[in-house]
Amino acid sequence: FAGKDGQRVKLWDKDAEARVDMADKQKWMDRFVDWHVEIISKQPIDIFANTSWLPASMTGDYELYWTPERVKKVVAAAVEHRVALEISSGMKLPKLSFLQIAKAAGAKFSFGSNGRYPNMGKLAYSLEMARALKLTKTDMFTLAPEGQN
């Protein structure tokens, strides 16, 4: 994420909040959502990983920050640009409320475990969310046929 000085900041670093000016977390969240939309819209990606991740100081208030309006904005970009949303078992994200909006909008999904040992390949949360959403194979990400994007 772009810091106050324009340099890239890893939001999980201890000093990240000061470097990206998170004094007003709601205003920052609006910028964070716009950043999600920009990545989905402009980067050549098929799957958006760790969808709806938040910095540690905000995770306890997930629903306060990931409002339906914000979720719909990210989901609309994903649907428009045919980018699947990862259901991450490693991060236990997105939460069900986010996923329900995404499914209703026609988003596609993939499963992931965040690729870190010892939880690599463990998909319990992904499968739990798939059951809760009643996902079928038509809801899942598949590669486009050769020559199509």
Side-chain angles (χ1 to χ4, degrees):
F1 193 78
K4 291 187 272 189
D5 60 1
Q7 297 297 309
R8 183 173 173 240
V9 175
K10 295 176 183 174
L11 292 173
W12 52 89
D13 284 349
K14 289 183 182 190
D15 65 342
E17 288 195 31
R19 292 178 57 209
V20 298
D21 188 15
M22 291 176 65
D24 183 330
K25 287 192 170 43
Q26 291 294 341
K27 283 185 182 178
W28 179 83
M29 191 67 195
D30 289 336
R31 288 182 26 234
F32 193 51
V33 167
D34 290 343
W35 181 69
H36 279 71
V37 170
E38 183 177 348
I39 290 171
I40 290 168
S41 302
K42 295 181 180 176
Q43 296 295 319
I45 60 173
D46 293 315
I47 299 170
F48 193 80
N50 298 324
T51 305
S52 80
W53 177 91
L54 290 170
S57 67
M58 298 170 70
T59 58
D61 293 316
Y62 185 91
E63 304 289 339
L64 176 67
Y65 297 114
W66 279 112
T67 62
E69 295 76 23
R70 288 176 175 143
V71 172
K72 287 174 186 175
K73 193 171 181 180
V74 171
V75 168
V79 170
E80 178 183 349
H81 297 282
R82 298 187 335 204
V83 173
L85 303 174
E86 177 195 43
I87 302 174
S88 171
S89 285
M91 296 289 212
K92 291 189 171 38
L93 292 172
K95 303 295 185 199
L96 184 59
S97 58
F98 189 113
L99 293 168
Q100 288 169 327
I101 292 169
K103 183 176 186 231
K108 299 293 183 186
F109 302 97
S110 70
F111 298 158
S113 61
N114 206 31
R116 292 189 170 63
Y117 184 81
N119 294 318
M120 187 170 20
K122 294 181 181 177
L123 298 174
Y125 180 80
S126 302
L127 296 171
E128 177 187 341
M129 292 298 102
R131 282 189 288 277
L133 295 165
K134 297 184 170 99
L135 296 183
T136 67
K137 67 180 186 178
T138 61
D139 296 307
M140 303 307 293
F141 168 78
T142 56
L143 290 173
E146 187 73 27
Q148 295 181 16
N149 6 344

